[in-house]
mmCIF file of all heavy atoms in Angstrom:
data_model
loop_
_atom_site.group_PDB
_atom_site.id
_atom_site.type_symbol
_atom_site.label_atom_id
_atom_site.label_comp_id
_atom_site.label_asym_id
_atom_site.label_seq_id
_atom_site.Cartn_x
_atom_site.Cartn_y
_atom_site.Cartn_z
ATOM 1 N N ALA V 114 -6.902 41.011 20.187
ATOM 2 C CA ALA V 114 -7.443 39.810 20.838
ATOM 3 C C ALA V 114 -8.571 39.173 20.013
ATOM 4 O O ALA V 114 -8.609 37.950 19.838
ATOM 5 C CB ALA V 114 -7.937 40.160 22.227
ATOM 6 N N ASN V 115 -9.488 39.994 19.490
ATOM 7 C CA ASN V 115 -10.618 39.430 18.722
ATOM 8 C C ASN V 115 -10.152 38.761 17.438
ATOM 9 O O ASN V 115 -10.682 37.729 17.014
ATOM 10 C CB ASN V 115 -11.616 40.541 18.356
ATOM 11 C CG ASN V 115 -12.326 41.059 19.576
ATOM 12 O OD1 ASN V 115 -12.967 40.300 20.291
ATOM 13 N ND2 ASN V 115 -12.186 42.342 19.843
ATOM 14 N N GLU V 116 -9.160 39.390 16.816
ATOM 15 C CA GLU V 116 -8.641 38.854 15.557
ATOM 16 C C GLU V 116 -7.890 37.548 15.811
ATOM 17 O O GLU V 116 -8.018 36.571 15.065
ATOM 18 C CB GLU V 116 -7.715 39.888 14.894
ATOM 19 C CG GLU V 116 -8.427 41.137 14.390
ATOM 20 C CD GLU V 116 -8.840 42.126 15.480
ATOM 21 O OE1 GLU V 116 -8.245 42.059 16.583
ATOM 22 O OE2 GLU V 116 -9.748 42.947 15.249
ATOM 23 N N ASP V 117 -7.112 37.532 16.898
ATOM 24 C CA ASP V 117 -6.352 36.326 17.267
ATOM 25 C C ASP V 117 -7.298 35.153 17.531
ATOM 26 O O ASP V 117 -7.012 34.007 17.209
ATOM 27 C CB ASP V 117 -5.543 36.652 18.542
ATOM 28 C CG ASP V 117 -4.758 35.475 19.052
ATOM 29 O OD1 ASP V 117 -3.860 35.003 18.345
ATOM 30 O OD2 ASP V 117 -5.069 35.009 20.174
ATOM 31 N N ARG V 118 -8.469 35.462 18.082
ATOM 32 C CA ARG V 118 -9.438 34.413 18.411
ATOM 33 C C ARG V 118 -10.162 33.916 17.159
ATOM 34 O O ARG V 118 -10.401 32.729 17.004
ATOM 35 C CB ARG V 118 -10.441 34.991 19.425
ATOM 36 C CG ARG V 118 -11.423 34.015 20.015
ATOM 37 C CD ARG V 118 -12.204 34.664 21.155
ATOM 38 N NE ARG V 118 -12.642 36.018 20.855
ATOM 39 C CZ ARG V 118 -13.678 36.332 20.075
ATOM 40 N NH1 ARG V 118 -14.387 35.382 19.517
ATOM 41 N NH2 ARG V 118 -14.002 37.597 19.850
ATOM 42 N N THR V 119 -10.463 34.845 16.233
ATOM 43 C CA THR V 119 -11.293 34.458 15.077
ATOM 44 C C THR V 119 -10.481 34.138 13.819
ATOM 45 O O THR V 119 -10.995 33.522 12.898
ATOM 46 C CB THR V 119 -12.256 35.606 14.710
ATOM 47 O OG1 THR V 119 -11.471 36.778 14.428
ATOM 48 C CG2 THR V 119 -13.222 35.917 15.831
ATOM 49 N N GLY V 120 -9.244 34.644 13.752
ATOM 50 C CA GLY V 120 -8.444 34.449 12.538
ATOM 51 C C GLY V 120 -8.770 35.433 11.429
ATOM 52 O O GLY V 120 -8.324 35.255 10.296
ATOM 53 N N LEU V 121 -9.556 36.481 11.753
ATOM 54 C CA LEU V 121 -9.916 37.486 10.736
ATOM 55 C C LEU V 121 -9.446 38.863 11.177
ATOM 56 O O LEU V 121 -9.539 39.204 12.367
ATOM 57 C CB LEU V 121 -11.434 37.526 10.538
ATOM 58 C CG LEU V 121 -12.042 36.327 9.828
ATOM 59 C CD1 LEU V 121 -13.561 36.370 9.925
ATOM 60 C CD2 LEU V 121 -11.592 36.293 8.364
ATOM 61 N N PRO V 122 -8.948 39.686 10.229
ATOM 62 C CA PRO V 122 -8.484 41.026 10.612
ATOM 63 C C PRO V 122 -9.643 41.981 10.870
ATOM 64 O O PRO V 122 -10.717 41.849 10.262
ATOM 65 C CB PRO V 122 -7.688 41.491 9.378
ATOM 66 C CG PRO V 122 -8.278 40.735 8.236
ATOM 67 C CD PRO V 122 -8.749 39.411 8.797
ATOM 68 N N PHE V 123 -9.424 42.917 11.749
ATOM 69 C CA PHE V 123 -10.361 44.018 12.011
ATOM 70 C C PHE V 123 -11.797 43.523 12.241
ATOM 71 O O PHE V 123 -12.704 43.820 11.457
ATOM 72 C CB PHE V 123 -10.330 45.028 10.848
ATOM 73 C CG PHE V 123 -9.134 45.938 10.881
ATOM 74 C CD1 PHE V 123 -8.071 45.742 10.019
ATOM 75 C CD2 PHE V 123 -9.068 46.989 11.785
ATOM 76 C CE1 PHE V 123 -6.960 46.576 10.056
ATOM 77 C CE2 PHE V 123 -7.960 47.824 11.830
ATOM 78 C CZ PHE V 123 -6.906 47.629 10.964
ATOM 79 N N VAL V 124 -11.972 42.763 13.309
ATOM 80 C CA VAL V 124 -13.328 42.305 13.640
ATOM 81 C C VAL V 124 -13.831 42.846 14.985
ATOM 82 O O VAL V 124 -14.963 42.600 15.358
ATOM 83 C CB VAL V 124 -13.444 40.761 13.646
ATOM 84 C CG1 VAL V 124 -13.340 40.193 12.257
ATOM 85 C CG2 VAL V 124 -12.414 40.136 14.580
ATOM 86 N N GLY V 125 -12.973 43.582 15.716
ATOM 87 C CA GLY V 125 -13.409 44.161 16.993
ATOM 88 C C GLY V 125 -14.083 45.508 16.754
ATOM 89 O O GLY V 125 -14.598 45.781 15.671
ATOM 90 N N ARG V 126 -14.104 46.344 17.772
ATOM 91 C CA ARG V 126 -14.763 47.664 17.650
ATOM 92 C C ARG V 126 -14.114 48.495 16.551
ATOM 93 O O ARG V 126 -14.795 49.139 15.750
ATOM 94 C CB ARG V 126 -14.674 48.415 18.973
ATOM 95 C CG ARG V 126 -15.654 47.911 20.007
ATOM 96 C CD ARG V 126 -15.528 48.718 21.283
ATOM 97 N NE ARG V 126 -15.961 50.091 21.092
ATOM 98 C CZ ARG V 126 -15.393 51.150 21.670
ATOM 99 N NH1 ARG V 126 -14.369 51.012 22.465
ATOM 100 N NH2 ARG V 126 -15.872 52.355 21.457
ATOM 101 N N ALA V 127 -12.782 48.478 16.506
ATOM 102 C CA ALA V 127 -12.087 49.245 15.462
ATOM 103 C C ALA V 127 -12.464 48.702 14.080
ATOM 104 O O ALA V 127 -12.628 49.468 13.124
ATOM 105 C CB ALA V 127 -10.573 49.175 15.668
ATOM 106 N N GLY V 128 -12.642 47.394 13.999
ATOM 107 C CA GLY V 128 -13.016 46.789 12.724
ATOM 108 C C GLY V 128 -14.398 47.206 12.264
ATOM 109 O O GLY V 128 -14.626 47.461 11.078
ATOM 110 N N LYS V 129 -15.325 47.281 13.222
ATOM 111 C CA LYS V 129 -16.695 47.711 12.863
ATOM 112 C C LYS V 129 -16.669 49.143 12.339
ATOM 113 O O LYS V 129 -17.371 49.485 11.384
ATOM 114 C CB LYS V 129 -17.620 47.621 14.085
ATOM 115 C CG LYS V 129 -17.729 46.239 14.689
ATOM 116 C CD LYS V 129 -18.996 45.541 14.225
ATOM 117 C CE LYS V 129 -19.165 44.127 14.748
ATOM 118 N NZ LYS V 129 -17.995 43.253 14.667
#
Side-chain angles (χ1 to χ4, degrees):
N115 291 303
E116 292 75 21
D117 178 63
R118 187 171 43 77
T119 58
L121 289 170
F123 282 104
V124 290
R126 283 181 67 217
K129 301 261 178 314

